[in-house]
Amino acid sequence: MNENITDHSLACVEAPEVLSRRRFLEKLSIGLGSFCAAVVGLPLIGFVIAPLFRKVPEQWVTLGRVDDFQIGKTVSVTVVNPSSLPWAGITAKSALWLRRESENTFLAFSANCTHLGCPVRWMEGAELFMCPCHGGVYYKDGNVAAGPPPLPLVRYGVRIENGEVKISSVVVPITKTL
């Protein structure tokens, strides 16, 4: 008989795996790359998501004295958004249309069309707001008269306090079609 019988049960014992230099550098590169991605990515995600959770306080912005506006006249007024960031520069300014209806009644409209956000013009002779981009037309009360705008002009809250006309500085969307 063959006396070269080997015990295969001893051959199943595995030696501990030796980490090669290549495998070590591969794992180190993946770890450092993941760390760098987290260091850059987490603040970036926070920057994008934070405005969704930030509540803008409602503030009232003074437009001028009540006597500065004539009854029946619609005028363009430029305001600075008080909730904007200090480095916003010229983008912190926005325009609106203000009309004095009577002694103590004012209407304030966004200067942007609700179709695609183009600036609207007040046509005094026709008493209409006109959007030059796509032919949107609004009546003097801000309702849609013709064209593609889906909604009336956005209105600001207006109040008179201590003889001054003030508007609510809530965030007004430029367009609602998106």
Side-chain angles (χ1 to χ4, degrees):
M1 287 204 189
N2 192 353
E3 301 233 359
N4 272 338
I5 298 176
T6 56
D7 188 10
H8 292 291
S9 63
L10 296 176
C12 289
V13 175
E14 294 182 19
E17 184 179 334
V18 177
L19 190 61
S20 68
R21 180 175 182 218
R22 177 176 291 203
R23 186 69 59 203
F24 170 75
L25 291 175
E26 179 183 315
K27 291 183 185 232
L28 182 67
S29 296
I30 290 172
L32 287 175
S34 299
F35 175 74
C36 291
V39 166
V40 172
L42 289 176
L44 185 64
I45 290 170
F47 176 77
V48 171
I49 293 177
L52 298 175
F53 298 105
R54 185 179 342 157
K55 185 175 180 179
V56 178
E58 183 178 351
Q59 296 179 352
W60 291 87
V61 178
T62 302
L63 301 179
R65 308 272 322 145
V66 173
D67 299 334
D68 295 343
F69 304 102
Q70 297 176 5
I71 295 175
K73 287 284 197 175
T74 302
V75 294
S76 177
V77 180
T78 302
V79 295
V80 177
N81 186 354
S83 66
S84 71
L85 300 170
W87 55 85
I90 194 75
T91 61
K93 293 183 179 180
S94 61
L96 59 99
W97 292 102
L98 182 72
R99 181 176 47 259
R100 185 173 184 182
E101 292 282 306
S102 66
E103 283 295 321
N104 294 320
T105 307
F106 286 85
L107 293 176
F109 302 101
S110 172
N112 299 98
C113 179
T114 57
H115 176 232
L116 292 176
C118 302
V120 295
R121 293 179 296 176
W122 171 247
M123 306 301 285
E124 192 168 346
E127 291 193 339
L128 295 170
F129 292 102
M130 306 283 284
C131 178
C133 300
H134 302 104
V137 181
Y138 300 89
Y139 294 117
K140 68 179 184 176
D141 65 354
N143 288 321
V144 178
L151 299 168
L153 289 174
V154 177
R155 281 192 182 186
Y156 287 92
V158 182
R159 72 179 182 191
I160 298 173
E161 187 176 281
N162 298 329
E164 295 182 332
V165 180
K166 296 185 175 194
I167 63 156
S168 174
S169 67
V170 296
V171 177
V172 176
I174 291 177
T175 177
K176 293 189 178 186
T177 58
L178 298 177

